[in-house]
Amino acid sequence: MARYQAGIRTEARIIDATRELLGENGLDGTTLKAICDRAGVRAGSFYNLFESKEDAVLQVVKDAIRAVDPHPKRDAPDSLNELVEAYISFVSGQPDVARVYLKIAISGATNGSLGGSMKRHHHRRVARFSSAIARENPELTEAESEVRAEIVLATLSGLAFMWMLEPKFDFEHRARLAVYAPLLNS
Amino acid sequence: MARYQAGIRTEARIIDATRELLGENGLDGTTLKAICDRAGVRAGSFYNLFESKEDAVLQVVKDAIRAVDPHPKRDAPDSLNELVEAYISFVSGQPDVARVYLKIAISGATNGSLGGSMKRHHHRRVARFSSAIARENPELTEAESEVRAEIVLATLSGLAFMWMLEPKFDFEHRARLAVYAPLLNS
DNA sequence: CTCAAAATAGAGTGTATACTCAAAATCTAG
DNA sequence: CTAGATTTTGAGTATACACTCTATTTTGAG
């Protein structure tokens, strides 16, 4: 009936190992052997806790997608400022998760079971940014707000990719400069 | 001594198949069997023309990287306008090549022999955009121009990713709006 | 303590992969 | 036409992969 502590800890170690490997080496670099080695576990233990490798990978990836776009804490709609700051602290505060999001979610978006889930996530994000922009810039039509939302999101993603390419890259600075300084209310 | 026409045509078919598959399915989806099936060739023929699978993949990827950042046609330095329009026509005019470039940029950028080559390419691009921006905006310091170059490139890449996610996405329109309207000379 | 349930180990399975090789087919220069 | 070189074939190899299974060990509630 009840699960044992050992199993729960092992499950967490496996999830952590999977997340790290996905961020470091991508999907094909994340083999079962690599996961088990890093988690300090044998294949049998893995399959006692997970149905398949895909099972563990999907858990990690779906968590990552959820972490980028958390539910609003307050009831009030979010401002563009809040959305951008949330993205910045996502990248800075959970770099492992962010790497998974950028590597797997985006690269795997055009194929496989992630494709659909990623497209939905993307539309949700655009809508959220778009409505914040529309609220703060009443002179824009709905279509114009949406285009601007897409551009802001594209810039944030692009900068995050650069950060992944070179960890020294000052993502925060670029992101704030790109979004606040030039684009809107100009 | 001399190569036969059949071999030259087969080589081209294999390169085309490799490029298409890399763009559609990424690196790990591009198996030898898939390449050979699409090119209408058996494994033995492939290895008569290429040293390894990696050989064919690297040819395609290096071509793609070269296509994004072609040598200037004139002696004169390029304007930001020209650089952006070149990127736009790269994406619109050679979508297969662009897809390879974008997919590999994410998945292969942090590891392997592609990592180094991708990083060098990135720095070359930033320098090129940066010097165009500096020339057209003399009030900016060198560091400021570079940051702006990174932001422009990030936005273009991010928009291109969105285009890859949804082929209907109007990349040209977004790219011109994002770069020309808001960012510089404001 | 006890003992059933849960977790683990580790050898083993089937499959897909990149790649090889010897023989047959095809090409093209002379 | 011919003969040597190139290209193609297709069965075959070794390896790495995800995954299974059974026996053993560990856990923790009663």
Side-chain angles (χ1 to χ4, degrees), chain A residues 103 110 150 155 166 174, chain B residues 103 110 123 150 155 166 174:
Chain A
K103 272 222 174 170
T110 53
E150 286 166 346
T155 304
E166 309 199 53
R174 265 75 165 177
Chain B
K103 283 234 166 164
T110 55
H123 286 131
E150 286 166 344
T155 304
E166 310 199 54
R174 266 75 165 176

Side-chain angles (χ1 to χ4, degrees), chain B residues 145-165:
Chain B
S145 298
E146 193 168 307
V147 168
R148 275 155 184 76
E150 286 166 344
I151 293 172
V152 170
L153 277 165
T155 304
L156 290 175
S157 305
L159 289 170
F161 281 122
M162 289 185 182
W163 160 78
M164 209 164 46
L165 201 62

Side-chain angles (χ1 to χ4, degrees), chain A residues 119, chain B residues 99 162-172 174:
Chain A
K119 264 193 183 169
Chain B
R99 262 186 285 272
M162 289 185 182
W163 160 78
M164 209 164 46
L165 201 62
E166 310 199 54
K168 289 185 176 181
F169 187 78
D170 186 350
F171 172 75
E172 296 197 25
R174 266 75 165 176

Side-chain angles (χ1 to χ4, degrees), chain A residues 80 84 152 155-156 159 174-184, chain B residues 151:
Chain A
L80 181 62
V84 171
V152 169
T155 304
L156 291 175
L159 289 170
R174 265 75 165 177
R176 294 210 179 90
L177 183 61
V179 177
Y180 299 143
L183 193 56
L184 299 163
Chain B
I151 293 172

Side-chain angles (χ1 to χ4, degrees), chain B residues 7-22:
Chain B
I8 293 172
R9 274 194 300 268
T10 301
E11 190 177 332
R13 278 209 318 280
I14 289 174
I15 287 288
D16 287 346
T18 305
R19 178 170 28 246
E20 289 169 19
L21 287 164
L22 283 175

